[in-house]
Amino acid sequence: MIILDYRDKRPIYEQVTEKLQNLIIRGALEAESKLPSVRSLALELTVNPNTIQRAYTELEEMGYIYTVKGRGNYVSKETEWRENREKIIDEETKTLAKHAMEAGISKEHLIDRLTSYYEEEKR
């Protein structure tokens, strides 16, 4: 399910957050499904439970999961996290456009590069 890279310079909680996020986006973790408890996932990954709690908190803030008090954490419906993800991508695109303009990159060149990268990722 989740494999951590201890040579990665990013904190473990960020890796866990990213791996769970990718599992949710790809549909490997279905909407409304229950996530492992903080303690059980920490044992499985041999990390501190606070690390998992931090990852779950990040995922909840991004709309990927929600908590039911006394019951655990569950995967949110796609509409909830997709909307938030689109907002983040819009902000990143706005920043990219600003940086491209400041660097003197034409709109056409930026669109061509973005289209090329998009097509590469589809493969």
Side-chain angles (χ1 to χ4, degrees), residues 5-90:
D5 180 1
Y6 294 100
R7 290 177 283 154
D8 191 327
K9 294 181 194 238
R10 294 176 302 151
I12 298 297
Y13 84 90
E14 285 183 9
Q15 291 184 50
V16 173
T17 301
E18 178 187 341
K19 304 282 185 179
L20 288 170
Q21 184 179 2
N22 287 335
L23 288 170
I24 292 168
I25 290 169
R26 288 195 324 252
L29 293 174
E30 295 179 8
E32 306 299 326
S33 64
K34 189 175 188 315
L35 293 171
S37 72
V38 169
R39 190 170 295 147
S40 68
L41 188 55
L43 281 171
E44 182 181 324
L45 299 176
T46 62
V47 298
N48 189 306
N50 292 334
T51 301
I52 303 303
Q53 184 58 55
R54 187 162 181 192
Y56 279 8
T57 299
E58 293 275 323
L59 289 165
E60 188 167 10
E61 288 173 1
M62 292 186 282
Y64 286 94
I65 67 173
Y66 64 94
T67 302
V68 176
K69 199 161 187 103
R71 293 247 182 226
N73 297 289
Y74 295 83
V75 177
S76 298
K77 294 178 183 168
E78 182 176 348
T79 53
E80 294 175 28
W81 57 260
R82 185 164 304 280
E83 188 175 296
N84 187 45
R85 187 163 172 89
E86 286 179 12
K87 286 179 189 175
I88 292 168
I89 292 169
D90 284 345

Side-chain angles (χ1 to χ4, degrees), residues 84-102 105-107 110-111 113-115 117-118:
N84 187 45
R85 187 163 172 89
E86 286 179 12
K87 286 179 189 175
I88 292 168
I89 292 169
D90 284 345
E91 285 302 314
E92 290 173 349
T93 304
K94 186 177 180 180
T95 301
L96 176 64
K98 179 182 175 194
H99 290 310
M101 285 178 63
E102 290 170 352
I105 297 171
S106 71
K107 178 175 84 172
L110 179 62
I111 290 169
R113 296 308 310 147
L114 185 58
T115 302
Y117 296 141
Y118 190 88

